[in-house]
């Protein structure tokens, strides 16, 4: 056996999961190659393939160490992955093996990279490990490059971490995350994106490992449909932004209403500097309390300790309130414009800047995700 074909020392503690829909005949040789590299268990899920593929699954089922599970109708990649994970748990394999490695059935993941994932998962035993492709290569189909850049950019914007490949199908889960992964929502391609979102929210460490970028026939055999499957993924990514925006809008309305009351009613006629300072402090306190309560109600990243989050939050509020006060006072004295309208514009601009801070710092988990 050549060095390229040598058994990986970490394969023996790893289970391979392969969701398959209308797989190519080459899947049989691919699975045989994985077995030869020392992977003791390979769970393949026939996700409602046509009768024409039955001989492929029959050949796989006859291989020692292979288990073929079947969905009578197509239920989606996420459902297939969860079916395989539940099977592993039901068999008690979490007592024997250390990780599962999820692999696509279309041959896009080189056997050497699957072995590398086992090694990387061993080196990061608590991490959710992602196999990262290089989308700058000319061989990458345009729709794959565009889709990944779109979701990677959205993930970075909404969740504060840039993942180079949010759509990778080569992933490793330690045994501590098997049960967790079966409870993540999603039945189709959106499931994998939802796993990333929940991992970020719950402070689960993530690691990345560069892998080869393989596409065949411009990825014509993929079951990913750009419009049908991209929309559920994008909805997951913007869900957090929607909750954050709703909390911010309500809190901003409270802030502006209280500011107007103090400025125009309670302290009307007082010197501008003192009146606007009082209005800024009282309205900031009311608005920040409203926002904090709404974040908890809407479950916008609340994994962090509440005492620490509250202290951090009010530090940010104080800085933002002071900046707003200085802008409003300066413009009001220079132009004699109504302070309420000045504050409205100033707070909108500060809210844009605040979004870059609040979700990334205030509600960030105590666990720091790691990378390779």
């Amino acid at each position: 056996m050549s060095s390229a074909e040598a058994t990986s020392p970490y394969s023996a503690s790893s289970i391979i999961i392969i969701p398959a829909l209308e797989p190519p005949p080459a899947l049989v040789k691919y699975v045989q190659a994985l077995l030869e590299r020392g992977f003791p268990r390979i769970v393949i899920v026939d996700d409602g393939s046509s009768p024409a593929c039955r001989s492929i699954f029959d050949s796989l089922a006859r291989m020692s160490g292979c288990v073929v599970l079947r969905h009578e109708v197509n239920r989606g990649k996420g459902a297939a992955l969860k079916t395989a994970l539940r099977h592993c748990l039901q068999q008690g394999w979490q007592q024997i093996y250390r990780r599962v490695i999820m692999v696509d059935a279309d041959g896009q993941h080189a056997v050497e990279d699957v072995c590398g994932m086992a090694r990387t998962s061993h080196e990061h035993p608590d991490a959710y490990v992602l196999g990262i492709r290089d989308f700058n290569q000319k061989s990458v189909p345009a729709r794959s490059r565009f889709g990944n850049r779109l979701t990677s950019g959205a993930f970075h914007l909404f969740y504060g971490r840039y993942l180079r490949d949010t759509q990778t199908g080569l992933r490793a889960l330690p045994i501590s995350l098997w049960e967790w992964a079966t409870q993540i929502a999603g039945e189709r391609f959106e499931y994998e994106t939802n796993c990333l979102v929940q991992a970020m929210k719950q402070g689960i460490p993530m690691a990345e490992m560069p892998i080869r970028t393989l596409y065949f026939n411009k990825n014509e055999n993929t079951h990913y449909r750009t419009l049908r499957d991209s929309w559920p993924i994008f909805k997951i990514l913007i869900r957090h932004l929607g909750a954050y925006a709703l909390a911010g809008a309500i809190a901003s309305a409270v802030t502006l209403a209280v500011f107007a009351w103090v400025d125009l009613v309670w302290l009307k006629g007082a010197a501008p500097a003192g009146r606007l300072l009082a209005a800024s402090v009282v309205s900031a306190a009311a608005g920040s309390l409203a926002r904090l309560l709404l974040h908890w109600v809407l479950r916008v990243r609340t994994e962090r300790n509440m005492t620490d989050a509250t202290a951090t939050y009010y530090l940010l509020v104080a800085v933002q309130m002071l900046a707003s006060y200085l802008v409003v006072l300066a413009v009001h004295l220079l132009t004699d414009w109504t302070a309420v309208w000045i504050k409205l514009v100033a707070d909108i601009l500060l809210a844009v800047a605040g979004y870059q801070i609040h979700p990334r710092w205030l509600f960030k988990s105590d666990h720091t995700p790691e990378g390779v």
Side-chain angles (χ1 to χ4, degrees), residues 55-305:
S55 61
I56 297 173
F57 291 109
D58 289 343
S59 297
L60 293 169
R62 287 193 292 267
M63 293 182 180
S64 177
C66 279
V67 175
V68 176
L69 308 176
R70 178 171 173 77
H71 290 166
E72 293 301 323
V73 297
N74 175 248
R75 293 170 52 191
K77 186 179 183 182
L81 290 171
K82 286 188 277 189
T83 291
L85 284 166
R86 292 188 186 102
H87 178 82
C88 293
L89 290 166
Q90 291 166 1
Q91 297 299 313
W93 288 344
Q94 67 272 29
Q95 307 297 327
I96 305 172
Y97 304 105
R98 306 306 303 166
R99 68 194 63 85
V100 296
I101 301 176
M102 301 171 179
V103 181
D104 287 343
D106 55 9
Q108 287 192 21
H109 303 139
V111 172
E112 292 76 12
D113 286 332
V114 179
C115 295
M117 288 291 287
R119 181 186 66 252
T120 301
S121 183
H122 172 80
E123 295 169 350
H124 300 268
D126 299 320
Y128 185 14
V129 184
L130 309 176
I132 304 302
R133 297 163 292 179
D134 181 3
F135 285 89
N136 292 320
Q137 296 183 14
K138 293 182 179 179
S139 60
V140 177
R143 65 174 178 174
S144 298
R145 182 184 297 112
F146 173 78
N148 187 77
R149 287 179 176 174
L150 177 64
T151 54
S152 292
F155 195 91
H156 186 208
L157 174 65
F158 301 154
Y159 298 98
R161 176 170 180 176
Y162 183 74
L163 297 174
R164 289 172 288 170
D165 189 355
T166 58
Q167 301 304 303
T168 179
L170 183 57
R171 307 181 180 207
L173 282 175
I175 53 174
S176 59
L177 296 179
W178 293 9
E179 183 68 38
W180 169 84
T182 65
Q183 298 173 3
I184 300 297
E187 297 296 299
R188 297 190 177 276
F189 289 101
E190 78 277 6
Y191 167 76
E192 292 174 308
T193 300
N194 209 18
C195 284
L196 298 180
V197 170
Q198 295 305 319
M200 282 295 297
K201 285 187 174 184
Q202 298 175 35
I204 294 171
M206 284 190 282
E208 299 175 280
M209 187 197 86
I211 62 174
R212 293 173 61 186
T213 306
L214 302 175
Y215 285 98
F216 306 100
N217 298 322
K218 297 184 179 181
N219 207 25
E220 292 177 354
N221 294 326
T222 182
H223 298 287
Y224 185 92
R225 299 293 176 262
T226 304
L227 295 178
R228 185 192 70 179
D229 296 318
S230 294
W231 176 239
I233 290 172
F234 199 69
K235 282 198 300 184
I236 289 171
L237 291 175
I238 66 175
R239 186 176 298 154
H240 170 78
L241 178 62
Y244 180 88
L246 177 61
I250 296 174
S252 296
V254 171
T255 300
L256 196 64
V258 173
F259 182 91
W261 175 74
V262 175
D263 178 42
L264 301 175
V265 179
W266 184 28
L267 297 180
K268 182 179 180 180
R275 183 181 80 249
L276 294 180
L277 178 60
S280 296
V281 172
V282 174
S283 65
S288 62
L289 180 60
R291 181 191 289 267
L292 193 61
L293 291 175
L294 285 165
H295 276 167
W296 258 252
V297 171
L298 297 173
R299 303 182 66 81
V300 180
R301 283 260 205 104
T302 59
E303 309 302 330
R304 187 169 175 171
N305 177 273

Side-chain angles (χ1 to χ4, degrees), residues 352-366:
V352 174
Y355 178 70
Q356 304 304 313
I357 300 173
H358 287 177
R360 291 161 170 74
W361 185 14
L362 173 59
F363 295 108
K364 185 178 180 181
S365 170
D366 293 326

